[in-house]
Amino acid sequence: MTIIDTFFNGIERIYENNLEGLLFNIGIALIILLIGFVVGKLAGRVVTKFLHEFELNNIMKTAGIKRSLEGVIGSFVSYIIYFAAIIMALNQLNITSVVLYIILITVIVVI
């Protein structure tokens, strides 16, 4: 089975459900995204503040690293949670594998 067949099979599975089921899945996916982005933003801020309390940037400056690691690590935590929320929302719509295949092919082509 090719990737295009997989893509169209995923689209068919979405439309096999009745319209009410499709709208329900889209609504749940949007709620998952909203909660995921709020939790991601809050978690990033908490991690940044937690690392600021330990004065991580000052410790790293004495080691010769001038990059703000507090912000970088906080952003990394936020993005990991965002990614997880997007995957869960796609899973709710039953198109996770299709989208991940497309992303994988794009990365391979770019590299």
Side-chain angles (χ1 to χ4, degrees):
M1 184 182 294
T2 66
I3 293 174
I4 294 175
D5 291 335
T6 305
F7 176 74
F8 286 117
N9 287 339
I11 298 295
E12 279 181 29
R13 277 186 270 141
I14 290 173
Y15 290 112
E16 283 177 2
N17 296 335
N18 57 16
L19 183 60
E20 185 176 303
L22 179 63
L23 292 176
F24 178 76
N25 285 339
I26 290 172
I28 295 297
L30 289 174
I31 291 171
I32 290 170
L33 284 175
L34 179 67
I35 291 171
F37 281 103
V38 169
V39 168
K41 187 72 169 176
L42 291 175
R45 287 183 182 174
V46 167
V47 168
T48 301
K49 288 187 187 274
F50 180 75
L51 293 175
H52 185 70
E53 290 294 319
F54 284 109
E55 298 180 355
L56 181 65
N57 284 344
N58 292 336
I59 295 170
M60 290 297 131
K61 282 182 185 176
T62 59
I65 299 173
K66 297 181 181 182
R67 181 79 175 153
S68 171
L69 287 181
E70 295 170 359
V72 170
I73 294 171
S75 294
F76 181 75
V77 168
S78 292
Y79 289 128
I80 292 294
I81 295 173
Y82 296 160
F83 182 73
I86 290 169
I87 294 298
M88 289 189 313
L90 290 173
N91 195 28
Q92 179 67 32
L93 297 173
N94 295 321
I95 58 173
T96 307
S97 61
V98 174
V99 173
L100 291 179
Y101 283 142
I102 292 170
I103 292 171
L104 177 66
I105 289 172
T106 304
V107 168
I108 289 173
V109 168
V110 169
I111 291 177

